[in-house]
Amino acid sequence: MHKSNPGSGKKNTPTKLALIVSEKLGEAVSLQNQGRLQEARDIYAEILKIDPNNFNALNLLGVVAVHFNELIPAVDFFSRAIKINPHSSTCYSNRGVALRAMKNFEAAVASLKMAVRIKPDYFEAHSNLGVALQELKQFDRAVASYDMAIKINPKYFEAYYNRGNALLEMKNLAAAVASYDMAIDINPGIAEIYSNRGNALKEQRNYLQALDSYDKALGLKPDFAEAHFNRGVVLQLTGRHATAISCYEMAIDINPAYAEAYSNRGNALHELRLLDAALGSYDKAIALRPNYAEAYSNRANLLKELGHLDAALSNYDMAIAISPDYAEAQSNRSLLLLLQGKFESGWKAYEWRWKNLVNGYVPRQFTVPLWLGEESIEGKIILLHSEQGLGDTIQFSRYVKLVAGLGAKVLLEVPGCLMGLLEGLVGVSELIERGATLPEFDFHCPLLSLPLAFKTEVDTIPSPQAYLYSDELTNAHWKGVLGTRTKPRVGLVWSGSTTHKNDHRRSMMLAELLDYLPDSFEYFSLQKELRDADQDTIATCSKIRHFGPEIDDFSDTAALCQAMDLVITVDTSVAHLSGALGQQTWILVGYAPDWRWMLDRNNSPWYGSARVYRQNSEMTWTVVLDKIRHDLLKLADSYRSI
């Protein structure tokens, strides 16, 4: 057996080891720069076997580990390197980036702060610190970090981009767009900057420029699924639902797991009345993301419209179970409960409307407490204030008498166009026009919270008969305008405000109505405003008298209603006005009606003089108008027999 001669061998001296390490380090860095990361990592590991405390190998191994998304080992490598060289700003910065990727944002902030403390002009670390602070929702401090990075390096486009993102989160939209523009001036080739710029413009409702920004993002990166999606959102906001669907489908083709695109496509299909396809799109979104609260809520909205109310309620409940503070789902669920006549739970849940940003209701801020029926208000002054549409104010002003009956002095604040109508309302101590200076008061309550305060049930709705009256002088004026009665008089309202979110489900064109109006009556338009499409129809129609600008406010509309033998109206404020006056009122409602018209009944517990005509599952007006014509002919016969 050959034996080695220990005296004849050569030992590796420290100088030679250092040379070997240096050569290996150079080779590994070269490989890393070429993107051959696994080979570089193997050599760094060899170096650490020779020199376990090699700072460069530890730091660069950490960088490679971050590339492989091996974040825990990366942080360990950086921390070991920092122990060897506690003055390395680069190591602190690298560790901060890895910690941020691990979502350990507070530790990331601490590490990045050390980096900029050691090297105050380290602009990349300032920018990365801003990103970590932004993750902690500390937007002001994040912007300050980005500003510091920009001050050090005015050409650092990443800092402008990140600052734009923080400003967008802060809803400082103009500043966000300006920051994105600076980033684009420096580097016009980054699709993400254009896309986020589009998001800021979208929030500004500058939809044309937003679309242009998304188009530029897609020009740079055609397979940018998020930009296709956001482009679809803007198109949907501007009513171009079919084109929006194409954008969502592009996003889905690129990313078949894009749950948000399926959900939004469902919304667009819903708007186009492609209900089965919409339901399928929501189902796909939920299959992809079983905890997707918004998709459950959207599906519930559709199921409610289809009349599948138990399934709709179940979907609202699922959305709320996933996200208990989901105000839109809570608010919509309350409307479903009220529609079903479940008033006790419905009124309580309806208070979620104030947190539902989608409906745009803004709670009033007063220093006095909100009254919801718990405290005694005897001898107190309470402000009751309108909060939603004109019809809502008319409907719930019936509660004023009940509040006054509790011994309170009632201040009622309403829009100016209702001042004349509500001037004589029983129980009002002082009627105040919205926007006027308010006197002192002890409590306040929005009008639509009064049913909760009085624990209203279907059979305890107050004043279902007449509780409003038109002014005698105004009555006399309109009696003169109308002239001698030649036939029974019918007032007509066929459309509401175009800004109402469900207007397309409640309004019709005048031309749709005309053929269903028998000649046995005089017809009068009770509409102050006409849509462009109805202008020509009314101008050539001798059957209907239209007063338009002659109607000044609701006092005039009330007098006109009072002069009619019958009012026929879609679901608008006139339905409430005519019902509150106790006039015979026929109300046309869609298949999925507003909650106050409830279900499966041809009358209304809110208005004893009202008859409700409902669409069937075909969701068209044809069957309703056929029934209206039939009942008008019967009514004409009854007048002739008198």
Side-chain angles (χ1 to χ4, degrees), residues 327 331 348-365 370 372 385-388 444-449 452:
S331 181
K348 291 177 182 177
Y350 192 51
E351 292 301 298
W352 275 95
R353 69 191 183 278
W354 300 115
K355 296 181 180 179
N356 180 12
L357 300 179
V358 174
N359 63 26
Y361 304 151
V362 179
R364 300 283 291 277
Q365 300 299 322
L370 169 68
L372 292 177
H385 46 95
S386 62
E387 56 170 277
Q388 296 181 32
H444 80 96
C445 184
L447 283 178
L448 274 73
S449 291
L452 173 62

PDB file of all heavy atoms in Angstrom, residues 327 331 348-365 370 372 385-388 444-449 452:
ATOM      1  N   ALA A 327     -70.001  46.737   2.889  1.00  0.00           N
ATOM      2  CA  ALA A 327     -71.197  47.578   3.040  1.00  0.00           C
ATOM      3  C   ALA A 327     -72.159  47.436   1.867  1.00  0.00           C
ATOM      4  O   ALA A 327     -73.381  47.480   2.050  1.00  0.00           O
ATOM      5  CB  ALA A 327     -70.786  49.036   3.210  1.00  0.00           C
ATOM      6  N   SER A 331     -75.929  46.454   2.446  1.00  0.00           N
ATOM      7  CA  SER A 331     -76.980  47.383   2.049  1.00  0.00           C
ATOM      8  C   SER A 331     -77.953  46.728   1.072  1.00  0.00           C
ATOM      9  O   SER A 331     -79.184  46.835   1.228  1.00  0.00           O
ATOM     10  CB  SER A 331     -76.339  48.626   1.419  1.00  0.00           C
ATOM     11  OG  SER A 331     -77.311  49.557   1.036  1.00  0.00           O
ATOM     12  N   LYS A 348     -83.113  47.455  10.250  1.00  0.00           N
ATOM     13  CA  LYS A 348     -81.828  47.465  10.958  1.00  0.00           C
ATOM     14  C   LYS A 348     -80.672  47.400   9.961  1.00  0.00           C
ATOM     15  O   LYS A 348     -79.701  48.158  10.048  1.00  0.00           O
ATOM     16  CB  LYS A 348     -81.752  46.299  11.937  1.00  0.00           C
ATOM     17  CG  LYS A 348     -82.699  46.422  13.132  1.00  0.00           C
ATOM     18  CD  LYS A 348     -82.616  45.179  14.014  1.00  0.00           C
ATOM     19  CE  LYS A 348     -83.601  45.270  15.187  1.00  0.00           C
ATOM     20  NZ  LYS A 348     -83.585  44.032  16.000  1.00  0.00           N
ATOM     21  N   ALA A 349     -80.780  46.475   9.013  1.00  0.00           N
ATOM     22  CA  ALA A 349     -79.702  46.314   8.032  1.00  0.00           C
ATOM     23  C   ALA A 349     -79.606  47.514   7.102  1.00  0.00           C
ATOM     24  O   ALA A 349     -78.536  47.810   6.565  1.00  0.00           O
ATOM     25  CB  ALA A 349     -79.935  45.035   7.221  1.00  0.00           C
ATOM     26  N   TYR A 350     -80.717  48.240   6.940  1.00  0.00           N
ATOM     27  CA  TYR A 350     -80.730  49.368   6.011  1.00  0.00           C
ATOM     28  C   TYR A 350     -79.811  50.501   6.469  1.00  0.00           C
ATOM     29  O   TYR A 350     -79.398  51.339   5.660  1.00  0.00           O
ATOM     30  CB  TYR A 350     -82.163  49.877   5.853  1.00  0.00           C
ATOM     31  CG  TYR A 350     -82.360  50.854   4.720  1.00  0.00           C
ATOM     32  CD1 TYR A 350     -81.917  50.553   3.438  1.00  0.00           C
ATOM     33  CD2 TYR A 350     -82.991  52.075   4.928  1.00  0.00           C
ATOM     34  CE1 TYR A 350     -82.097  51.450   2.388  1.00  0.00           C
ATOM     35  CE2 TYR A 350     -83.178  52.973   3.885  1.00  0.00           C
ATOM     36  CZ  TYR A 350     -82.730  52.654   2.621  1.00  0.00           C
ATOM     37  OH  TYR A 350     -82.905  53.544   1.590  1.00  0.00           O
ATOM     38  N   GLU A 351     -79.446  50.518   7.729  1.00  0.00           N
ATOM     39  CA  GLU A 351     -78.514  51.546   8.203  1.00  0.00           C
ATOM     40  C   GLU A 351     -77.124  51.391   7.579  1.00  0.00           C
ATOM     41  O   GLU A 351     -76.309  52.308   7.633  1.00  0.00           O
ATOM     42  CB  GLU A 351     -78.421  51.507   9.733  1.00  0.00           C
ATOM     43  CG  GLU A 351     -79.703  51.951  10.440  1.00  0.00           C
ATOM     44  CD  GLU A 351     -80.122  53.372  10.068  1.00  0.00           C
ATOM     45  OE1 GLU A 351     -79.346  54.306  10.361  1.00  0.00           O
ATOM     46  OE2 GLU A 351     -81.210  53.543   9.484  1.00  0.00           O
ATOM     47  N   TRP A 352     -76.854  50.236   6.972  1.00  0.00           N
ATOM     48  CA  TRP A 352     -75.585  50.048   6.254  1.00  0.00           C
ATOM     49  C   TRP A 352     -75.472  50.964   5.042  1.00  0.00           C
ATOM     50  O   TRP A 352     -74.393  51.100   4.463  1.00  0.00           O
ATOM     51  CB  TRP A 352     -75.449  48.587   5.804  1.00  0.00           C
ATOM     52  CG  TRP A 352     -74.884  47.692   6.853  1.00  0.00           C
ATOM     53  CD1 TRP A 352     -75.563  46.916   7.738  1.00  0.00           C
ATOM     54  CD2 TRP A 352     -73.490  47.471   7.128  1.00  0.00           C
ATOM     55  NE1 TRP A 352     -74.697  46.231   8.544  1.00  0.00           N
ATOM     56  CE2 TRP A 352     -73.418  46.548   8.194  1.00  0.00           C
ATOM     57  CE3 TRP A 352     -72.311  47.961   6.579  1.00  0.00           C
ATOM     58  CZ2 TRP A 352     -72.208  46.110   8.710  1.00  0.00           C
ATOM     59  CZ3 TRP A 352     -71.099  47.519   7.097  1.00  0.00           C
ATOM     60  CH2 TRP A 352     -71.056  46.609   8.151  1.00  0.00           C
ATOM     61  N   ARG A 353     -76.602  51.573   4.620  1.00  0.00           N
ATOM     62  CA  ARG A 353     -76.534  52.426   3.433  1.00  0.00           C
ATOM     63  C   ARG A 353     -75.515  53.540   3.588  1.00  0.00           C
ATOM     64  O   ARG A 353     -74.944  54.011   2.609  1.00  0.00           O
ATOM     65  CB  ARG A 353     -77.917  53.003   3.128  1.00  0.00           C
ATOM     66  CG  ARG A 353     -78.435  54.045   4.137  1.00  0.00           C
ATOM     67  CD  ARG A 353     -79.903  54.339   3.877  1.00  0.00           C
ATOM     68  NE  ARG A 353     -80.468  55.365   4.741  1.00  0.00           N
ATOM     69  CZ  ARG A 353     -80.910  55.165   5.971  1.00  0.00           C
ATOM     70  NH1 ARG A 353     -80.818  53.952   6.528  1.00  0.00           N
ATOM     71  NH2 ARG A 353     -81.440  56.150   6.672  1.00  0.00           N
ATOM     72  N   TRP A 354     -75.271  53.974   4.822  1.00  0.00           N
ATOM     73  CA  TRP A 354     -74.352  55.097   5.036  1.00  0.00           C
ATOM     74  C   TRP A 354     -72.899  54.707   4.798  1.00  0.00           C
ATOM     75  O   TRP A 354     -72.055  55.566   4.553  1.00  0.00           O
ATOM     76  CB  TRP A 354     -74.511  55.645   6.454  1.00  0.00           C
ATOM     77  CG  TRP A 354     -75.891  56.137   6.708  1.00  0.00           C
ATOM     78  CD1 TRP A 354     -76.807  55.636   7.589  1.00  0.00           C
ATOM     79  CD2 TRP A 354     -76.544  57.234   6.052  1.00  0.00           C
ATOM     80  NE1 TRP A 354     -77.973  56.353   7.522  1.00  0.00           N
ATOM     81  CE2 TRP A 354     -77.842  57.344   6.592  1.00  0.00           C
ATOM     82  CE3 TRP A 354     -76.149  58.135   5.064  1.00  0.00           C
ATOM     83  CZ2 TRP A 354     -78.750  58.307   6.167  1.00  0.00           C
ATOM     84  CZ3 TRP A 354     -77.051  59.097   4.643  1.00  0.00           C
ATOM     85  CH2 TRP A 354     -78.332  59.181   5.189  1.00  0.00           C
ATOM     86  N   LYS A 355     -72.611  53.407   4.871  1.00  0.00           N
ATOM     87  CA  LYS A 355     -71.241  52.953   4.635  1.00  0.00           C
ATOM     88  C   LYS A 355     -71.035  52.445   3.214  1.00  0.00           C
ATOM     89  O   LYS A 355     -69.916  52.108   2.830  1.00  0.00           O
ATOM     90  CB  LYS A 355     -70.882  51.852   5.631  1.00  0.00           C
ATOM     91  CG  LYS A 355     -70.880  52.330   7.079  1.00  0.00           C
ATOM     92  CD  LYS A 355     -70.498  51.205   8.035  1.00  0.00           C
ATOM     93  CE  LYS A 355     -70.490  51.693   9.478  1.00  0.00           C
ATOM     94  NZ  LYS A 355     -70.134  50.613  10.434  1.00  0.00           N
ATOM     95  N   ASN A 356     -72.129  52.384   2.451  1.00  0.00           N
ATOM     96  CA  ASN A 356     -72.054  51.880   1.084  1.00  0.00           C
ATOM     97  C   ASN A 356     -71.680  53.019   0.137  1.00  0.00           C
ATOM     98  O   ASN A 356     -72.533  53.804  -0.284  1.00  0.00           O
ATOM     99  CB  ASN A 356     -73.400  51.264   0.689  1.00  0.00           C
ATOM    100  CG  ASN A 356     -73.390  50.721  -0.726  1.00  0.00           C
ATOM    101  OD1 ASN A 356     -72.330  50.600  -1.353  1.00  0.00           O
ATOM    102  ND2 ASN A 356     -74.565  50.404  -1.237  1.00  0.00           N
ATOM    103  N   LEU A 357     -70.408  53.109  -0.203  1.00  0.00           N
ATOM    104  CA  LEU A 357     -69.927  54.226  -1.021  1.00  0.00           C
ATOM    105  C   LEU A 357     -70.503  54.201  -2.425  1.00  0.00           C
ATOM    106  O   LEU A 357     -70.568  55.233  -3.092  1.00  0.00           O
ATOM    107  CB  LEU A 357     -68.400  54.199  -1.081  1.00  0.00           C
ATOM    108  CG  LEU A 357     -67.676  54.312   0.261  1.00  0.00           C
ATOM    109  CD1 LEU A 357     -66.169  54.246   0.052  1.00  0.00           C
ATOM    110  CD2 LEU A 357     -68.057  55.589   0.989  1.00  0.00           C
ATOM    111  N   VAL A 358     -70.949  53.023  -2.876  1.00  0.00           N
ATOM    112  CA  VAL A 358     -71.453  52.899  -4.242  1.00  0.00           C
ATOM    113  C   VAL A 358     -72.703  53.740  -4.446  1.00  0.00           C
ATOM    114  O   VAL A 358     -72.898  54.336  -5.503  1.00  0.00           O
ATOM    115  CB  VAL A 358     -71.741  51.412  -4.570  1.00  0.00           C
ATOM    116  CG1 VAL A 358     -72.407  51.273  -5.928  1.00  0.00           C
ATOM    117  CG2 VAL A 358     -70.441  50.612  -4.534  1.00  0.00           C
ATOM    118  N   ASN A 359     -73.574  53.804  -3.429  1.00  0.00           N
ATOM    119  CA  ASN A 359     -74.826  54.544  -3.635  1.00  0.00           C
ATOM    120  C   ASN A 359     -74.664  56.055  -3.472  1.00  0.00           C
ATOM    121  O   ASN A 359     -75.576  56.823  -3.796  1.00  0.00           O
ATOM    122  CB  ASN A 359     -75.939  54.021  -2.712  1.00  0.00           C
ATOM    123  CG  ASN A 359     -75.631  54.205  -1.238  1.00  0.00           C
ATOM    124  OD1 ASN A 359     -74.872  55.098  -0.846  1.00  0.00           O
ATOM    125  ND2 ASN A 359     -76.212  53.366  -0.386  1.00  0.00           N
ATOM    126  N   GLY A 360     -73.509  56.474  -2.970  1.00  0.00           N
ATOM    127  CA  GLY A 360     -73.224  57.910  -2.919  1.00  0.00           C
ATOM    128  C   GLY A 360     -73.897  58.659  -1.788  1.00  0.00           C
ATOM    129  O   GLY A 360     -73.854  59.889  -1.750  1.00  0.00           O
ATOM    130  N   TYR A 361     -74.540  57.963  -0.858  1.00  0.00           N
ATOM    131  CA  TYR A 361     -75.165  58.651   0.267  1.00  0.00           C
ATOM    132  C   TYR A 361     -74.085  59.116   1.237  1.00  0.00           C
ATOM    133  O   TYR A 361     -73.201  58.347   1.614  1.00  0.00           O
ATOM    134  CB  TYR A 361     -76.139  57.740   1.012  1.00  0.00           C
ATOM    135  CG  TYR A 361     -77.224  57.140   0.153  1.00  0.00           C
ATOM    136  CD1 TYR A 361     -77.787  55.903   0.471  1.00  0.00           C
ATOM    137  CD2 TYR A 361     -77.690  57.796  -0.987  1.00  0.00           C
ATOM    138  CE1 TYR A 361     -78.787  55.345  -0.310  1.00  0.00           C
ATOM    139  CE2 TYR A 361     -78.684  57.238  -1.773  1.00  0.00           C
ATOM    140  CZ  TYR A 361     -79.221  56.009  -1.434  1.00  0.00           C
ATOM    141  OH  TYR A 361     -80.199  55.461  -2.219  1.00  0.00           O
ATOM    142  N   VAL A 362     -74.162  60.351   1.633  1.00  0.00           N
ATOM    143  CA  VAL A 362     -73.159  60.921   2.540  1.00  0.00           C
ATOM    144  C   VAL A 362     -73.858  61.259   3.860  1.00  0.00           C
ATOM    145  O   VAL A 362     -74.772  62.087   3.885  1.00  0.00           O
ATOM    146  CB  VAL A 362     -72.519  62.188   1.948  1.00  0.00           C
ATOM    147  CG1 VAL A 362     -71.500  62.770   2.924  1.00  0.00           C
ATOM    148  CG2 VAL A 362     -71.873  61.875   0.605  1.00  0.00           C
ATOM    149  N   PRO A 363     -73.474  60.609   4.956  1.00  0.00           N
ATOM    150  CA  PRO A 363     -74.123  60.911   6.237  1.00  0.00           C
ATOM    151  C   PRO A 363     -73.839  62.335   6.682  1.00  0.00           C
ATOM    152  O   PRO A 363     -72.727  62.839   6.532  1.00  0.00           O
ATOM    153  CB  PRO A 363     -73.528  59.878   7.197  1.00  0.00           C
ATOM    154  CG  PRO A 363     -72.232  59.483   6.570  1.00  0.00           C
ATOM    155  CD  PRO A 363     -72.422  59.599   5.093  1.00  0.00           C
ATOM    156  N   ARG A 364     -74.845  62.973   7.224  1.00  0.00           N
ATOM    157  CA  ARG A 364     -74.674  64.340   7.721  1.00  0.00           C
ATOM    158  C   ARG A 364     -73.908  64.301   9.036  1.00  0.00           C
ATOM    159  O   ARG A 364     -74.100  63.398   9.865  1.00  0.00           O
ATOM    160  CB  ARG A 364     -76.043  64.987   7.942  1.00  0.00           C
ATOM    161  CG  ARG A 364     -76.898  65.070   6.682  1.00  0.00           C
ATOM    162  CD  ARG A 364     -76.455  66.193   5.779  1.00  0.00           C
ATOM    163  NE  ARG A 364     -76.744  67.495   6.346  1.00  0.00           N
ATOM    164  CZ  ARG A 364     -77.918  68.108   6.262  1.00  0.00           C
ATOM    165  NH1 ARG A 364     -78.937  67.522   5.634  1.00  0.00           N
ATOM    166  NH2 ARG A 364     -78.095  69.312   6.781  1.00  0.00           N
ATOM    167  N   GLN A 365     -73.056  65.279   9.229  1.00  0.00           N
ATOM    168  CA  GLN A 365     -72.251  65.355  10.447  1.00  0.00           C
ATOM    169  C   GLN A 365     -72.813  66.458  11.345  1.00  0.00           C
ATOM    170  O   GLN A 365     -72.786  67.633  10.980  1.00  0.00           O
ATOM    171  CB  GLN A 365     -70.792  65.643  10.100  1.00  0.00           C
ATOM    172  CG  GLN A 365     -70.149  64.595   9.205  1.00  0.00           C
ATOM    173  CD  GLN A 365     -70.111  63.221   9.838  1.00  0.00           C
ATOM    174  OE1 GLN A 365     -69.883  63.073  11.047  1.00  0.00           O
ATOM    175  NE2 GLN A 365     -70.353  62.195   9.039  1.00  0.00           N
ATOM    176  N   LEU A 370     -77.733  61.177  16.910  1.00  0.00           N
ATOM    177  CA  LEU A 370     -78.713  60.582  16.011  1.00  0.00           C
ATOM    178  C   LEU A 370     -79.807  59.942  16.849  1.00  0.00           C
ATOM    179  O   LEU A 370     -79.534  59.227  17.814  1.00  0.00           O
ATOM    180  CB  LEU A 370     -78.026  59.528  15.138  1.00  0.00           C
ATOM    181  CG  LEU A 370     -78.911  58.606  14.301  1.00  0.00           C
ATOM    182  CD1 LEU A 370     -79.609  59.404  13.192  1.00  0.00           C
ATOM    183  CD2 LEU A 370     -78.087  57.464  13.701  1.00  0.00           C
ATOM    184  N   LEU A 372     -82.791  57.266  16.956  1.00  0.00           N
ATOM    185  CA  LEU A 372     -83.365  56.093  16.301  1.00  0.00           C
ATOM    186  C   LEU A 372     -84.449  55.464  17.169  1.00  0.00           C
ATOM    187  O   LEU A 372     -84.676  54.252  17.132  1.00  0.00           O
ATOM    188  CB  LEU A 372     -82.279  55.064  15.972  1.00  0.00           C
ATOM    189  CG  LEU A 372     -81.271  55.479  14.898  1.00  0.00           C
ATOM    190  CD1 LEU A 372     -80.207  54.413  14.709  1.00  0.00           C
ATOM    191  CD2 LEU A 372     -81.966  55.785  13.566  1.00  0.00           C
ATOM    192  N   HIS A 385     -84.323  65.251   8.323  1.00  0.00           N
ATOM    193  CA  HIS A 385     -83.744  65.763   7.079  1.00  0.00           C
ATOM    194  C   HIS A 385     -83.843  64.743   5.958  1.00  0.00           C
ATOM    195  O   HIS A 385     -83.672  63.541   6.155  1.00  0.00           O
ATOM    196  CB  HIS A 385     -82.288  66.205   7.276  1.00  0.00           C
ATOM    197  CG  HIS A 385     -81.434  65.248   8.035  1.00  0.00           C
ATOM    198  ND1 HIS A 385     -80.635  64.317   7.423  1.00  0.00           N
ATOM    199  CD2 HIS A 385     -81.240  65.081   9.381  1.00  0.00           C
ATOM    200  CE1 HIS A 385     -79.971  63.623   8.346  1.00  0.00           C
ATOM    201  NE2 HIS A 385     -80.324  64.067   9.543  1.00  0.00           N
ATOM    202  N   SER A 386     -84.159  65.245   4.766  1.00  0.00           N
ATOM    203  CA  SER A 386     -84.223  64.393   3.574  1.00  0.00           C
ATOM    204  C   SER A 386     -82.821  63.912   3.244  1.00  0.00           C
ATOM    205  O   SER A 386     -81.831  64.565   3.573  1.00  0.00           O
ATOM    206  CB  SER A 386     -84.833  65.152   2.406  1.00  0.00           C
ATOM    207  OG  SER A 386     -84.027  66.267   2.076  1.00  0.00           O
ATOM    208  N   GLU A 387     -82.747  62.771   2.578  1.00  0.00           N
ATOM    209  CA  GLU A 387     -81.421  62.199   2.331  1.00  0.00           C
ATOM    210  C   GLU A 387     -81.258  61.632   0.934  1.00  0.00           C
ATOM    211  O   GLU A 387     -80.146  61.496   0.445  1.00  0.00           O
ATOM    212  CB  GLU A 387     -81.144  61.076   3.343  1.00  0.00           C
ATOM    213  CG  GLU A 387     -82.221  60.003   3.323  1.00  0.00           C
ATOM    214  CD  GLU A 387     -81.856  58.774   4.126  1.00  0.00           C
ATOM    215  OE1 GLU A 387     -81.141  57.920   3.579  1.00  0.00           O
ATOM    216  OE2 GLU A 387     -82.280  58.691   5.286  1.00  0.00           O
ATOM    217  N   GLN A 388     -82.330  61.263   0.269  1.00  0.00           N
ATOM    218  CA  GLN A 388     -82.190  60.600  -1.029  1.00  0.00           C
ATOM    219  C   GLN A 388     -83.018  61.352  -2.070  1.00  0.00           C
ATOM    220  O   GLN A 388     -82.915  62.567  -2.183  1.00  0.00           O
ATOM    221  CB  GLN A 388     -82.595  59.129  -0.902  1.00  0.00           C
ATOM    222  CG  GLN A 388     -81.681  58.348   0.030  1.00  0.00           C
ATOM    223  CD  GLN A 388     -82.055  56.887   0.158  1.00  0.00           C
ATOM    224  OE1 GLN A 388     -82.559  56.256  -0.772  1.00  0.00           O
ATOM    225  NE2 GLN A 388     -81.817  56.321   1.339  1.00  0.00           N
ATOM    226  N   HIS A 444     -81.161  64.585  15.726  1.00  0.00           N
ATOM    227  CA  HIS A 444     -81.449  64.592  14.290  1.00  0.00           C
ATOM    228  C   HIS A 444     -81.753  63.170  13.850  1.00  0.00           C
ATOM    229  O   HIS A 444     -81.363  62.186  14.507  1.00  0.00           O
ATOM    230  CB  HIS A 444     -80.267  65.150  13.487  1.00  0.00           C
ATOM    231  CG  HIS A 444     -79.156  64.168  13.261  1.00  0.00           C
ATOM    232  ND1 HIS A 444     -79.029  63.416  12.115  1.00  0.00           N
ATOM    233  CD2 HIS A 444     -78.111  63.802  14.064  1.00  0.00           C
ATOM    234  CE1 HIS A 444     -77.963  62.648  12.206  1.00  0.00           C
ATOM    235  NE2 HIS A 444     -77.382  62.856  13.372  1.00  0.00           N
ATOM    236  N   CYS A 445     -82.459  63.057  12.730  1.00  0.00           N
ATOM    237  CA  CYS A 445     -82.748  61.734  12.169  1.00  0.00           C
ATOM    238  C   CYS A 445     -83.000  61.875  10.674  1.00  0.00           C
ATOM    239  O   CYS A 445     -83.805  62.711  10.246  1.00  0.00           O
ATOM    240  CB  CYS A 445     -83.977  61.116  12.836  1.00  0.00           C
ATOM    241  SG  CYS A 445     -84.329  59.420  12.268  1.00  0.00           S
ATOM    242  N   PRO A 446     -82.316  61.097   9.831  1.00  0.00           N
ATOM    243  CA  PRO A 446     -82.640  61.075   8.404  1.00  0.00           C
ATOM    244  C   PRO A 446     -84.037  60.481   8.221  1.00  0.00           C
ATOM    245  O   PRO A 446     -84.443  59.584   8.974  1.00  0.00           O
ATOM    246  CB  PRO A 446     -81.570  60.158   7.804  1.00  0.00           C
ATOM    247  CG  PRO A 446     -80.547  59.958   8.875  1.00  0.00           C
ATOM    248  CD  PRO A 446     -81.237  60.155  10.170  1.00  0.00           C
ATOM    249  N   LEU A 447     -84.748  60.931   7.216  1.00  0.00           N
ATOM    250  CA  LEU A 447     -86.138  60.503   7.051  1.00  0.00           C
ATOM    251  C   LEU A 447     -86.268  58.988   6.897  1.00  0.00           C
ATOM    252  O   LEU A 447     -87.197  58.385   7.434  1.00  0.00           O
ATOM    253  CB  LEU A 447     -86.756  61.196   5.838  1.00  0.00           C
ATOM    254  CG  LEU A 447     -87.179  62.657   6.028  1.00  0.00           C
ATOM    255  CD1 LEU A 447     -87.737  63.223   4.734  1.00  0.00           C
ATOM    256  CD2 LEU A 447     -88.219  62.779   7.144  1.00  0.00           C
ATOM    257  N   LEU A 448     -85.329  58.360   6.179  1.00  0.00           N
ATOM    258  CA  LEU A 448     -85.486  56.929   5.922  1.00  0.00           C
ATOM    259  C   LEU A 448     -85.033  56.056   7.088  1.00  0.00           C
ATOM    260  O   LEU A 448     -85.093  54.825   7.005  1.00  0.00           O
ATOM    261  CB  LEU A 448     -84.765  56.527   4.636  1.00  0.00           C
ATOM    262  CG  LEU A 448     -85.608  56.714   3.364  1.00  0.00           C
ATOM    263  CD1 LEU A 448     -85.755  58.181   3.003  1.00  0.00           C
ATOM    264  CD2 LEU A 448     -85.050  55.933   2.185  1.00  0.00           C
ATOM    265  N   SER A 449     -84.587  56.684   8.175  1.00  0.00           N
ATOM    266  CA  SER A 449     -84.327  55.925   9.405  1.00  0.00           C
ATOM    267  C   SER A 449     -85.528  55.941  10.341  1.00  0.00           C
ATOM    268  O   SER A 449     -85.516  55.253  11.365  1.00  0.00           O
ATOM    269  CB  SER A 449     -83.099  56.491  10.129  1.00  0.00           C
ATOM    270  OG  SER A 449     -81.916  56.240   9.403  1.00  0.00           O
ATOM    271  N   LEU A 452     -87.222  52.571  11.187  1.00  0.00           N
ATOM    272  CA  LEU A 452     -86.493  51.826  12.215  1.00  0.00           C
ATOM    273  C   LEU A 452     -86.811  52.379  13.591  1.00  0.00           C
ATOM    274  O   LEU A 452     -87.056  51.616  14.542  1.00  0.00           O
ATOM    275  CB  LEU A 452     -84.987  51.914  11.943  1.00  0.00           C
ATOM    276  CG  LEU A 452     -84.064  51.323  13.014  1.00  0.00           C
ATOM    277  CD1 LEU A 452     -84.320  49.832  13.182  1.00  0.00           C
ATOM    278  CD2 LEU A 452     -82.604  51.585  12.668  1.00  0.00           C
TER     279      LEU A 452
END
